[in-house]
């Protein structure tokens, strides 16, 4: 039995080696160290902040981009809107455990639109996949229960313009995984599957006695029958593959852990995956699969922040704590998977994973210990301050590595905290990777609560992160390199602030209502690196800019350009880069829950449409960069 967990730190020698691995490009059109041609600067025509009524009510994007010194016209094209009807299906309708239309609280059809004309947050991420000689679109909706749809996309061979192909829309059944849950961000995997997410997992300790998501799922998905429901059914990483006949194949990857999944980002080795944990007092996770392109089994790690500086949104070195190895099958066996979902009575419960006791006022435990072999460990996660002790989960009479691995999947955040990982990150959202510079980017919507020094959110926890509050948020750069112990070329060993928003108050001007500087970020949410350039694109989810913005950030010069604004109160999500779909590049964008997130004096004019929608900016012609 090995109860001592693996704590992996990056050596100085490996850090130096990482610097030598980074490809460096010169002037526009020059060749980098890896032989690929890069544009050192990509310039957009900038979009102004939304001020007039017309500007506040629409999606506005750049109309021109300069690539390697040559100007190109680009535009925004809508692909689909929530409520669109095609092929007998309604885009965004949620279905129940029998794949019949689910009902909302008022007994209307459950349309996940995120506005006064629907429920939930609405359409979020869309993946464009190239399979079978076609382009497919897999869409996921951020509701509880959640929904997924798939359709084909037609591309004009001459202009590159994209459009949804009529009579191809189909619902993606998730009943093999107990239904979907608050689907947030996602990605198109290197093997052309859709990797999704299930955010804000139900607290299994509270179970179904609390209000909110768990009860809504019982009512809408399970037809009000609580015996069919377990909180452990939700909070995982789903994947949708497309078979040779063009049909979707849905899987939940229990091997990758359970928490508030914002995004699972697959690295170029097709084995290493970074997993962000949204919400307060979250953890940064890394998963390393046993086999490339197969996420069904592997080892899960949780990050520990070792602070170096509090300046410029903070910097730290990172170490990684192993939560053990597990497979989908290992966890399915604990979820009553073989009972055909007729009842959840036999599914594992929180009380079978942890013993608990009430913490003292100062956050310590009355019976202190390591939470494994002796006493209770005091932790502070998204569930707050708790005293926990791991139980014999696998039933072999003693707590061992197998129990750590099982608890590390079912209760990843809590188990990571027991082992010493940092559970203080706030609103950790998007992830993207720049292979040219061997650098990962992680988006933090807000620096507050557990990330600030001495916060009540640190009571009973490590208080590893000690920064100044910045509710306008920041983007962090993480250097990665080979780590022999982990067996991956992509292990992050440092984390530092790259760009941060600037709290500002506008009074008596047309910009009143913006509480972060309109020339910089406000609560950044998603990011995508534009492969073939030196540009990072960053989207927002904020009420601090009433009209959310999308930005391009030049990693060479630090130049920040506003390239899109969304309708009032919407979230600009799903910024994702597709460099080459039959010779053209596209940047996807979703305007989620328009007029749904900001209260104030502005009133939506009559007749203005309120629908979540997805579209693309482009096409980009990168033929000169190949």
């Amino acid at each position: 039995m090995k109860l001592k967990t693996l704590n992996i730190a990056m050596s100085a020698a490996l850090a130096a080696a990482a610097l030598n691995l980074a490809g460096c490009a010169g002037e526009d059109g020059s060749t980098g160290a890896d032989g690929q041609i890069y544009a050192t600067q990509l310039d957009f025509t900038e979009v102004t902040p939304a001020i007039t009524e017309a500007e506040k009510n629409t999606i506005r994007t750049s109309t021109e981009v300069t690539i390697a010194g040559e100007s190109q016209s680009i535009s925004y094209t809508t692909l689909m809107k929530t409520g669109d009807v095609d092929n007998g299906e309604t885009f965004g309708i949620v279905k129940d455990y029998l794949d019949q239309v689910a009902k909302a609280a008022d007994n209307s059809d459950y349309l996940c639109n995120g506005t006064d004309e629907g429920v939930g947050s609405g359409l979020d991420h869309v993946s464009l996949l190239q399979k079978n000689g076609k382009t497919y679109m897999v869409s996921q909706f951020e509701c509880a229960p959640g929904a997924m749809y798939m359709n084909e996309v037609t591309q004009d061979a001459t202009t590159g313009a994209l459009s949804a192909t009529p009579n191809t829309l189909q619902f993606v059944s998730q009943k093999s995984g107990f239904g979907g849950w608050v689907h947030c961000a996602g990605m198109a995997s290197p093997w052309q599957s859709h990797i999704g997410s299930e955010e804000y997992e139900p607290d299994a300790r509270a179970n179904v006695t609390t209000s909110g998501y768990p009860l809504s799922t019982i009512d809408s998905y399970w037809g009000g029958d609580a015996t069919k429901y377990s909180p452990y059914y939700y909070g995982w990483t789903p994947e949708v593959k497309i078979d040779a006949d063009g049909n979707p194949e849905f899987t939940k990857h229990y091997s990758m852990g359970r928490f508030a999944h914002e995004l699972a980002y697959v690295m170029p080795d097709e084995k290493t995956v970074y997993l962000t944990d949204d919400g307060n007092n979250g953890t940064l996770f890394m998963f390393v699969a046993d086999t490339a392109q197969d996420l069904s089994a592997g080892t899960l790690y949780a990050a520990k922040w070792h602070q170096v500086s509090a300046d410029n949104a903070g910097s730290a070195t990172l170490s990684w704590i192993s939560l053990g190895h597990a497979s989908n099958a290992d966890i399915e066996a604990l979820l009553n998977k073989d009972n055909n979902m007729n009842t959840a009575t036999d599914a594992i419960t929180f009380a079978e994973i942890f013993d608990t006791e009430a913490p003292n006022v100062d956050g310590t435990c009355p019976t202190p210990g390591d939470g494994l072999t002796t006493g209770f460990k005091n932790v502070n996660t998204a569930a707050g301050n708790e005293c926990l002790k791991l139980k014999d989960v696998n039933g072999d009479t003693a707590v061992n590595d197998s129990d750590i691995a099982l608890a590390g999947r079912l209760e990843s955040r809590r188990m990571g905290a027991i082992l010493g990982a940092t559970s203080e990150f706030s609103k950790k959202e998007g992830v993207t990777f720049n292979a040219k510079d061997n650098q990962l980017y992680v988006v933090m919507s807000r620096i507050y609560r557990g990330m600030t020094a001495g916060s009540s959110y640190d009571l009973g926890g490590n208080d590893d992160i000690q920064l100044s509050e910045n509710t306008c948020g920041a983007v962090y750069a993480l250097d990665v390199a080979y780590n022999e112990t982990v067996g991956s070329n992509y292990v992050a060993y440092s984390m530092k602030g790259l760009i941060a928003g600037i709290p500002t108050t506008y009074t008596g001007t047309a910009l009143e209502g913006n509480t972060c500087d309109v020339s910089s970020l406000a609560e950044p949410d998603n990011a995508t690196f534009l492969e073939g350039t030196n540009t990072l694109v960053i989207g927002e989810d904020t009420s601090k800019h009433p009209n959310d913005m999308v930005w391009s950030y030049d990693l060479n010069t630090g130049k920040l350009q506003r390239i899109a604004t969304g309708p009032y109160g919407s979230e600009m999500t799903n910024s994702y880069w597709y460099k080459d779909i039959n010779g053209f590049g596209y940047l996807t964008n979703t305007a989620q829950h328009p007029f749904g997130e900001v209260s104030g004096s502005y009133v939506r004019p009559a007749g203005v449409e309120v629908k979540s929608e997805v579209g693309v900016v482009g096409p980009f012609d990168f033929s000169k960069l190949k």
Side-chain angles (χ1 to χ4, degrees), residues 327-540:
S327 68
N328 287 350
D330 293 335
I331 307 306
E332 284 178 342
L334 301 175
L335 298 181
N336 197 28
K337 180 73 173 177
D338 296 331
N339 208 358
N340 200 30
M341 295 178 290
N342 291 321
T343 175
T345 303
D346 297 327
I348 193 168
T349 64
F350 180 88
E352 293 175 291
I353 302 172
F354 294 117
D355 281 323
T356 65
E357 65 178 9
N360 296 320
V361 174
D362 64 358
T364 60
C365 299
T367 315
D370 63 8
L372 298 171
T373 58
T374 60
F376 289 80
K377 181 68 179 290
N378 53 322
V379 300
N380 197 328
T381 67
N385 179 209
E386 298 177 294
C387 290
L388 303 175
K389 183 179 181 182
L390 182 63
K391 300 180 77 168
D392 175 24
V393 183
N394 64 7
D396 63 1
T397 71
V399 173
N400 55 31
D401 286 353
S402 172
D403 300 301
I404 291 174
L406 295 174
R409 298 319 192 274
L410 293 159
E411 294 284 352
S412 304
R413 198 185 299 109
R414 283 173 163 128
M415 194 67 241
I418 288 175
L419 298 177
T422 299
S423 57
E424 301 164 27
F425 294 102
S426 298
K427 297 294 294 175
K428 186 164 20 60
E429 308 264 7
V431 186
T432 190
F433 182 61
N434 169 4
K436 177 174 66 68
D437 296 320
N438 232 36
Q439 202 162 64
L440 192 74
Y441 305 103
V442 173
V443 179
M444 207 79 61
S445 280
R446 303 169 200 154
I447 300 172
Y448 78 151
R449 297 188 174 178
M451 295 185 72
T452 59
S455 166
S456 61
Y457 285 81
D458 294 317
L459 183 67
N462 300 334
D463 201 9
D464 291 332
I465 308 176
Q466 300 186 11
L467 305 176
S468 298
E469 181 174 282
N470 183 348
T471 56
C472 294
V475 178
Y476 288 81
L478 287 71
D479 293 309
V480 305
Y482 175 68
N483 186 295
E484 184 177 7
T485 308
V486 175
S488 169
N489 288 315
Y490 299 100
V491 179
Y493 62 89
S494 70
M495 184 170 179
K496 61 182 180 294
L498 177 69
I499 180 173
I502 305 168
T504 305
T505 300
Y506 295 91
T507 304
T509 73
L511 294 173
E512 190 165 357
N514 289 278
T515 55
C516 294
D517 196 314
V518 297
S519 296
S520 191
L521 310 174
E523 296 183 304
D525 179 87
N526 54 93
T528 186
F529 177 72
L530 275 57
E531 180 191 356
T533 78
N534 291 291
T535 300
L536 189 66
V537 167
I538 306 163
E540 297 180 342

Side-chain angles (χ1 to χ4, degrees), residues 18-25 32-34 38 434-438 534:
L19 297 177
N20 294 327
L21 288 173
C24 298
D34 59 2
Y38 293 96
N434 169 4
K436 177 174 66 68
D437 296 320
N438 232 36
N534 291 291

Side-chain angles (χ1 to χ4, degrees), residues 106-244:
D106 62 359
N107 205 39
S108 64
D109 290 352
Y110 197 126
L111 179 67
C112 184
N113 192 39
T115 68
D116 54 0
E117 297 180 7
V119 294
S121 291
L123 175 66
D124 199 298
H125 182 80
V126 167
S127 291
L128 298 178
L129 309 175
Q130 297 179 77
K131 297 284 289 187
N132 308 325
K134 299 180 178 180
T135 300
Y136 296 89
M137 185 171 87
V138 177
S139 308
Q140 60 183 32
F141 289 78
E142 192 176 0
C143 286
M148 289 185 174
Y149 281 82
M150 188 182 83
N151 62 283
E152 294 178 22
V153 173
T154 298
Q155 181 186 53
D156 185 286
T158 302
T159 66
L162 298 182
S163 60
T165 307
N167 301 315
T168 62
L169 185 66
Q170 57 179 306
F171 178 75
V172 179
S173 175
Q174 300 175 77
K175 65 181 181 181
S176 64
F178 310 106
W181 181 267
V182 194
H183 297 306
C184 198
M187 77 170 294
S189 75
W191 54 94
Q192 296 301 294
S193 67
H194 167 78
I195 308 292
S197 57
E198 292 189 328
E199 196 176 41
Y200 304 137
E201 82 287 8
D203 185 351
R205 184 174 182 179
N207 207 336
V208 296
T209 60
T210 59
S211 61
Y213 281 146
L215 291 179
S216 70
T217 300
I218 294 168
D219 293 340
S220 299
Y221 188 78
W222 297 110
D225 186 352
T227 66
K228 289 183 168 63
Y229 166 85
S230 165
Y232 288 116
Y233 291 165
Y234 307 108
W236 306 100
T237 301
E239 181 177 15
V240 177
K241 295 181 178 180
I242 301 173
D243 69 16

Side-chain angles (χ1 to χ4, degrees), residues 76-98:
Y76 171 78
T77 302
T78 299
L79 294 178
M80 291 196 77
K81 296 183 179 183
T82 305
D84 283 356
V85 177
D86 179 73
N87 201 36
E89 298 284 358
T90 301
F91 192 54
I93 282 287
V94 178
K95 299 189 179 182
D96 64 15
Y97 74 107
L98 298 174

